[in-house]
Amino acid sequence: MSAHPYDHGHTVAGWTGCGIAVAGTALLGVGVCTVSGPLLAAGAAVDVLALLVTWALHLAGWGKPSGPRPREEWSWRVRDSGARAGHAECLGCRWAGRRGGTAEVPAPVTVTAPVTAPGERAAEADAVGAGG
């Protein structure tokens, strides 16, 4: 079927969202050409709708994360088996409260500088200048 070892994420969520976004962008273009505020607002609303529909379909399992997947899940007609738990590095899944994976958040690193009195700094500088 193809020469590459992974699919490129051709999904129901991706194609549906793209189709709606193209329609919204076309509406925006007509609004720009006709200098029509209502058409611009409608085009922007359709583009926001495209974003929300794509997100909802992704969360329902019709969108897939990037990266390698088993060959059985390459078809765009197959729902993503890992969508319910969430995808580890997916912003949309994180916004929906699905963490996915076992990615650990590193502990904050605190760097403490040595505390010196103001006079000690000046004394160090004088010692280096006089001895050098």
Side-chain angles (χ1 to χ4, degrees):
M1 181 165 136
S2 66
H4 53 80
Y6 54 91
D7 75 304
H8 289 285
H10 302 290
T11 64
V12 173
W15 285 109
T16 304
C18 183
I20 296 171
V22 166
T25 304
L27 201 54
L28 276 169
V30 171
V32 167
C33 291
T34 61
V35 191
S36 172
L39 281 177
L40 290 172
V46 171
D47 279 342
V48 170
L49 178 68
L51 181 89
L52 295 174
V53 167
T54 303
W55 186 30
L57 286 171
H58 173 77
L59 294 175
W62 291 109
K64 300 174 187 173
S66 357
R69 280 183 288 288
R71 191 175 265 289
E72 305 83 53
E73 293 185 9
W74 282 18
S75 173
W76 65 274
R77 294 181 184 103
V78 176
R79 290 179 83 168
D80 182 20
S81 60
R84 189 170 297 273
H87 305 111
E89 296 183 18
C90 177
L91 181 63
C93 288
R94 281 187 271 152
W95 281 355
R98 299 177 183 180
R99 293 293 176 195
T102 57
E104 295 180 16
V105 177
V109 177
T110 56
V111 178
T112 56
V115 179
T116 58
E120 290 179 357
R121 277 275 192 227
E124 289 175 22
D126 288 342
V128 170

